[in-house]
Structure formats: C-alpha cells, structure tokens
Amino acid sequence: MKKISNRKIFIQTMGCQMNVYDSEQIFRQMSLSGYEPTDSIDEADIIICNTCSIREKAEQKAFSFLGRLAALKAVNPGLIIAMGGCVAQQEGYGVLRRLPHVDLVFGTHAISRLPDLVSSIKRRRCRLVDVEQAESIGPDDFLAKPGGNSEVTAFVTIMRGCDNYCSYCVVPYVRGRESSRHPDEVIQEIEKLVSQGVREVTLLGQNVNSYGKKEGLSSFSELLEKINKINGLERIRFTTSHPKDLSDELMKAFTRLEKLCNHIHLPVQSGSDRVLKRMNRRYTREAYLKKIEALRTLRPDVAITSDIIVGFPGESDEDFQQTLSLVHEVGFDGLFAFMYSDRPNAPAARYREKVAEQEKKRRLQQLLSVQSQYTLDSNRALEGSVKPILVEGTGKDKENRQSGRGLIWKGRTTCNKIVHFKTPDMQKDDNQILTGRVMDIMINRALPHCLWGEPVHMPSKVVKGAVCHAS
Ligand code: 5AD
Ligand code: SF4
C-alpha cells in the first residue's frame, strides 16, 4: 500500500481506564508534531504499546504483543517501536535488553517529552529510555482534546499516582507519588469536552477521595460540586474510591448533586480482617460494611461494584469463606475478581505461604459463580421499569447486520448498566441521530451482562446534538 505520510502512529492500549486516557494524551502530544492515527499496524511509522503492570497477566500480554513486532521491524528498519506505561516504568533498560527491536521505553511521567524523544531517535538513530518521575503535575502534562469527532463519554484524569502502598500493588512504584491537578484545569478540560459533544465524564484517579488533600486544593466533593454546575454536561462518574477515604461529605454528594451517577466502585479486596491487615488496606470488614449501609441509607438505589483478590499469600479457606460471606452480605451489583499475582517491589511478593495456582483458580470460580446470581438479580430488578439512558451510539456493525431491519443502540443507565434497544425504522445513515441523547427506555429483558428495552417514545423532532428528555 502506498503511504501518504511518514507520520502515522498506531497505539495499542492495555489495561485500565487510566491507560485509555494516557493513550489519548500520547496521541495529542504526537499530533502536535504532525502525527496522524492509523488502525493498521502495517501502515504505521511508530507503534506504541501503552502497558499495564497491575497484574502479571497484563504484563505478559504487553511483552507478547511487542515480541510479535520483531518481524515487522525486520522488513521495515525505519519503524519506531516504543513501550510506554507501567511496565516500561518498572522495567526501564531491561526492556531494551529483552526486546532488541524496541527503540524507546518511556515511563508514566514522560508523555509530554514523547515528541522530543521520538525526534532524537530519528535524528541520532539511537535507542532511548526515559523513566524519570516528577513530584507534581506540570503545565504540559495534560493536553485538552482538540476539536473534531464528538464522543459522548470521556475520561478525565484528576490526579496521578498513589500513596497508599497496599502490599500487593505495584501502582505507587510505577505511577509515583500522589499528585492532583488544579481544579481550574480540570473544569476547563471538561468545559472544552462538553463544547465538543461530550455528555458524560468519568473522573479518574487511583484514589479520587483524597483528591487535592496534599496540595491543599479543593476537596473532591467541592470539585464535584463545581463540575455539577457545567452547562451541557449530563452525567458525572468517578473511579476509584478507597473505602478508608470515603467521607461523609462525599456520600452526601450523592444526594445533592443531580448529575452524579447512581453508582460507586468501592474495591473491598477481601472480606477477612486478617487478610485486609496484611494487604495494608487500613479498614476492617465492619468499617466497610458500615460505609455501604450509610451509602444505602442516603441513596437506597445506589449501585455498588467492587474488586476482590483471591489467593493473597496466607489466605486460608476460612479467610476465603469470609470473603464469600461479605459478597452475600453486600449483594454487589457487579464484581471484578482477580487471582493474586506477585508484582515487583510490592511487599506481598516477599510473603511466604503462597496459595497454589489451582486453589486460586478454584476460589476465583466459586466467587464468580456466587456473584453471577447477584449481578443477574440486580439486572432483573430493573425489568419493567423506565430508566433514562444516555445513548452512546449504535451497536457494533456485526450486531446491526444481524439485527435485520433497523438499528441497535447502546447506552447506560445512571447505575452503569449497559442497555440495548432497537429502532426498527432507522437505517444505517441514521446512526448518529440518537447519540448523546438521554432517552427514557422501558427495560423489558435482563441478561447477565446487559439489559434490553425499548424507547417509551421516540423524540418527535430529532435534532442532532440536542438533549431529549422523553417524558
Ligand atoms: N494481584 C491481583 N490483583 C491485583 N490487583 C492489584 N494488584 C494485584 C495483584 N498483585 C487488583 C485489585 C485492584 C485492581 C485494579 O487490580 O483488586 O483493585
Ligand atoms: Fe494500589 Fe492500593 Fe493505591 Fe489502589 S489504593 S492503586 S490498590 S496501592
């Protein structure tokens, strides 16, 4: 294929939402030097793999993706291959030794220096590593989204790093000390996104509840209050919250701020006090349950999801039973469950009494099977109700081809459940018409991972970009 420019960039994003946001930042920085995105790896002049090291599996995936690129580099020696993100931060020069075809390794704080690093590599035909970490967030660390394509939802990083040092976790070592962005910058970024069509923002941080504390900026609740006032913004979400820092003030925000979505992700990690202590989580099972009760008293229909690790070193069967009993007691709306894996630098890697892989798998399956009933029950509880759905767009092309006549749409309830509905009279060309609207949908079918419904009524006059509240 004939190339139009020699400035095409392909970014492979692995891991969490934080990385999705960072990949956007990588692209924004590179576009300042004239780079354009490409979906085709063969057409790219730079391939960047933005990695995640939170669990061993994610790290293995990154190495195997980059390993496969050796063949491409062999036929195209001018191709620049880079590893960014947490694995890069953690492994540094080790990546260059392990993968001789990789040209650049850049850490979690080096994104703003990326264009300079790439031009040095081009000029000097060298290989570079930049894993320097900064104490605070600099003026060039986050670039606003340029004009153009309008998505409905967007992530906005409000803080970076983590000071909590949970004993299993690599984040404080690869993402550095906690530091928060100035509220004015956050507000400006969201206002710009809204002017470009964004209707919902998810505020990102490892522990958003401690936003601004260190720097003496506004508290997280105050920030939410300011964001709640932004005209044109429909919904606010945030992730992740540490249970020990979930303040009364923040819980009350759920009753006061009408744009704040009816969902909180509150990772518990374990239901056993003994394990929680060894994880250095700094709360007890009882304290966690009390916070859940307080939240539900303030907002009875709040959806609560969580993360749990099974097979933490020394986790006995009794400890695991405690976790299962907590899951029964809370009845989470959704759960992410992980098998513990050793992470470099994290203290738990040095703990003895490792749980056998087979046993970890068994516990994971048992936990997921207990949870699946609660997830389904919480979906079924919505059957027969009418919920406002923010429409994010149409389903995948394949789904729409299979659906025959009409279009399948996808959106979310405020409690973060995915909802699909069909518009039999719409054609492919109409695939933007409802995007960005809040529509009332009658939920008529609950499946394990999504809901199906139908519009209570279609907007009489469909004006692109307008927000429609069907009554
Ligand atoms: N092993 C397994 N799971 C982990 N997590 C973090 N570190 C580890 C680890 N070493 C999980 C936690 C966290 C989620 C993002 O990943 O549950 O909340
Ligand atoms: Fe890791 Fe704990 Fe920080 Fe979350 S709060 S990022 S689990 S150290």
Side-chain angles (χ1 to χ4, degrees):
M1 181 185 281
K2 194 171 175 299
K3 283 194 186 172
I4 303 153
S5 87
N6 64 349
R7 287 180 178 245
K8 294 254 191 237
I9 180 166
F10 178 96
I11 306 176
Q12 176 76 24
T13 306
M14 298 182 161
C16 58
Q17 292 158 333
M18 202 74 87
N19 269 12
V20 174
Y21 184 85
D22 283 358
S23 287
E24 283 170 12
Q25 289 296 326
I26 289 173
F27 179 66
R28 284 175 211 170
Q29 291 286 356
M30 293 305 288
S31 65
L32 294 179
S33 311
Y35 280 87
E36 295 165 22
T38 174
D39 292 334
S40 154
I41 218 165
D42 297 315
E43 211 186 66
D45 304 289
I46 299 189
I47 299 174
I48 295 179
C49 179
N50 190 14
T51 60
C52 169
S53 71
I54 193 120
R55 290 174 297 275
E56 199 178 7
K57 228 185 195 168
E59 186 175 324
Q60 284 163 354
K61 262 195 196 158
F63 277 106
S64 104
F65 172 80
L66 282 163
R68 290 196 300 275
L69 299 182
L72 216 55
K73 180 91 170 187
V75 292
N76 179 9
L79 173 69
I80 294 180
I81 299 178
M83 180 199 260
C86 294
V87 180
Q89 185 72 47
Q90 179 185 292
E91 301 294 323
Y93 284 93
V95 179
L96 295 190
R97 280 194 293 276
R98 186 163 162 187
L99 298 171
H101 58 285
V102 167
D103 303 281
L104 171 63
V105 179
F106 64 99
T108 49
H109 292 190
I111 296 175
S112 59
R113 297 187 289 273
L114 193 55
D116 289 341
L117 292 165
V118 168
S119 73
S120 291
I121 291 173
K122 281 184 155 175
R123 239 186 10 257
R124 294 159 42 205
R125 301 304 317 158
C126 58
R127 302 170 81 204
L128 291 178
V129 174
D130 181 346
V131 287
E132 211 172 291
Q133 287 196 335
E135 279 293 310
S136 57
I137 295 172
D140 299 328
D141 281 356
F142 297 102
L143 294 179
K145 186 178 172 221
N149 59 331
S150 66
E151 283 127 27
V152 174
T153 62
F155 296 123
V156 174
T157 290
I158 61 166
M159 60 197 303
R160 195 164 76 169
C162 182
D163 289 349
N164 281 316
Y165 293 96
C166 301
S167 65
Y168 51 81
C169 187
V170 76
V171 167
Y173 310 97
V174 290
R175 292 221 172 237
R177 299 285 60 72
E178 194 172 287
S179 62
S180 299
R181 284 176 82 185
H182 196 282
D184 293 350
E185 257 184 53
V186 174
I187 302 286
Q188 272 165 23
E189 179 169 357
I190 298 175
E191 282 173 344
K192 177 130 197 248
L193 288 167
V194 169
S195 75
Q196 294 168 351
V198 165
R199 295 281 167 264
E200 174 186 295
V201 288
T202 303
L203 310 175
L204 295 177
Q206 304 295 345
N207 179 14
V208 290
N209 302 155
S210 62
Y211 170 84
K213 273 189 194 158
K214 219 169 163 178
E215 293 85 354
L217 299 167
S218 41
S219 72
F220 183 53
S221 311
E222 285 161 356
L223 178 71
L224 285 174
E225 198 141 340
K226 287 182 188 156
I227 297 173
N228 194 59
K229 290 191 184 127
I230 296 177
N231 282 333
L233 183 68
E234 284 285 323
R235 291 181 172 186
I236 309 166
R237 301 185 187 278
F238 59 83
T239 194
T240 289
S241 299
H242 194 305
K244 79 174 163 56
D245 296 318
L246 177 59
S247 63
D248 291 349
E249 196 193 358
L250 180 57
M251 289 198 236
K252 284 187 193 132
F254 277 99
T255 62
R256 280 187 303 112
L257 307 178
E258 74 284 0
K259 294 182 184 175
L260 189 56
C261 284
N262 205 11
H263 168 227
I264 186 162
H265 185 65
L266 200 59
V268 65
Q269 311 298 0
S270 169
S272 152
D273 280 340
R274 206 178 68 89
V275 175
L276 286 173
K277 193 151 203 283
R278 283 159 55 84
M279 285 178 162
N280 192 30
R281 290 292 287 177
R282 288 175 280 167
Y283 54 82
T284 59
R285 172 196 175 98
E286 196 194 341
Y288 183 86
L289 290 171
K290 276 208 171 123
K291 297 227 167 165
I292 299 283
E293 198 187 326
L295 262 170
R296 284 181 169 157
T297 305
L298 288 166
R299 192 140 172 186
D301 54 347
V302 67
I304 301 173
T305 56
S306 197
D307 291 346
I308 286 181
I309 298 176
V310 296
F312 183 78
E315 183 191 67
S316 65
D317 195 49
E318 168 59 29
D319 293 319
F320 177 59
Q321 294 306 323
Q322 294 270 311
T323 295
L324 290 180
S325 93
L326 180 130
V327 169
H328 284 298
E329 206 162 332
V330 177
F332 291 113
D333 293 77
L335 182 67
F336 297 93
F338 309 102
M339 289 195 295
Y340 168 81
S341 56
D342 281 342
R343 301 287 61 223
N345 297 318
R350 296 188 297 276
Y351 293 0
R352 295 205 199 99
E353 307 170 77
K354 296 284 192 267
V355 176
E357 284 303 298
Q358 263 321 94
E359 182 57 17
K360 283 194 240 175
K361 274 190 195 142
R362 192 192 68 74
R363 290 181 190 178
L364 183 72
Q365 273 154 13
Q366 195 180 350
L367 176 59
L368 291 175
S369 121
V370 166
Q371 176 57 36
S372 63
Q373 193 56 47
Y374 287 101
T375 309
L376 189 58
D377 286 352
S378 100
N379 287 355
R380 283 201 179 130
L382 298 181
E383 278 180 344
S385 65
V386 173
K387 294 285 168 206
I389 305 301
L390 175 62
V391 182
E392 291 173 14
T394 49
K396 294 193 184 100
D397 269 3
K398 195 172 146 218
E399 283 167 11
N400 271 312
R401 270 200 308 276
Q402 282 168 354
S403 85
R405 229 165 71 85
L407 287 173
I408 292 177
W409 298 84
K410 182 189 156 202
R412 273 168 214 267
T413 62
T414 116
C415 56
N416 212 27
K417 307 255 186 214
I418 294 172
V419 178
H420 295 291
F421 65 93
K422 234 175 150 180
T423 49
D425 298 332
M426 287 187 182
Q427 307 305 323
K428 221 174 168 199
D429 291 352
D430 301 323
N431 71 354
Q432 289 291 317
I433 272 181
L434 300 178
T435 304
R437 290 167 180 274
V438 176
M439 291 181 62
D440 279 353
I441 304 288
M442 161 65 84
I443 309 294
N444 44 31
R445 195 161 154 236
L447 297 174
H449 300 294
C450 69
L451 302 161
W452 279 83
E454 52 190 69
V456 172
H457 53 69
M458 289 299 288
S460 53
K461 196 172 168 212
V462 178
V463 185
K464 196 167 176 274
V467 178
C468 153
H469 295 273
S471 56

